[in-house]
């Protein structure tokens, strides 16, 4: 079941949506909203568990990792915990993090 919704977005977002094939806009927006909801839920769970919130800073995180400010053991432990909490495989989480680190 689906429903038609009309929204207003900033020009830069409208340009990104216009660049998508016409039949893929709805699925793109749906996936983006579901990812955001999962991210918000995870953030709320971490806050409830007593973890402080860090600013969104992928380049900074990649730089700290490259500078070895995060040991490989700590990274692996974090990957395992993230995989367990999201119901994803450790390999899938590691691959996504490696992919994102390579995009910097």
């Amino acid at each position: 079941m689906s429903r038609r919704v009309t929204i207003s977005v900033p020009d830069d977002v409208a340009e990104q949506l216009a660049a998508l094939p016409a039949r893929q806009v709805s699925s793109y927006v749906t996936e983006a909203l579901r990812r955001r909801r999962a991210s918000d839920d995870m953030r709320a769970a971490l806050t409830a568990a007593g973890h402080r919130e860090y600013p969104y800073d992928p380049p900074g995180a990649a730089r700290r990792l490259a500078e070895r400010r995060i040991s490989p053991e700590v990274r692996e432990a974090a990957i395992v915990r993230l995989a367990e909490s999201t119901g994803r495989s450790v390999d899938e989480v590691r691959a996504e993090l490696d992919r994102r680190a390579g995009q910097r």
Side-chain angles (χ1 to χ4, degrees):
M1 178 183 231
S2 64
R3 181 171 114 178
R4 185 174 192 83
V5 177
T6 302
I7 60 170
S8 296
V9 296
D11 290 340
D12 64 312
V13 174
E15 290 171 12
Q16 291 177 29
L17 292 174
L20 296 171
R23 295 217 174 269
Q24 292 182 13
V25 173
S26 292
S27 62
Y28 187 90
V29 171
T30 298
E31 180 182 347
L33 289 172
R34 286 181 175 152
R35 285 179 181 221
R36 174 59 187 262
R37 188 176 332 136
S39 174
D40 290 348
D41 291 348
M42 179 61 67
R43 186 174 292 110
L46 289 169
T47 300
H51 295 271
R52 73 181 183 106
E53 191 161 327
Y54 293 91
Y56 180 73
D57 182 22
R63 187 179 59 255
R64 287 187 297 277
L65 182 59
E67 293 170 353
R68 294 283 188 224
R69 289 174 53 187
I70 302 169
S71 72
E73 295 80 16
V74 169
R75 181 179 190 267
E76 189 62 24
I79 289 171
V80 169
R81 286 177 38 199
L82 181 58
E84 289 172 353
S85 66
T86 59
R88 297 166 60 194
S89 75
V90 170
D91 290 337
E92 180 184 359
V93 172
R94 186 183 304 107
E96 181 177 344
L97 293 173
D98 290 344
R99 179 184 54 78
R100 287 183 181 196
Q103 292 177 349
R104 48 185 165 115

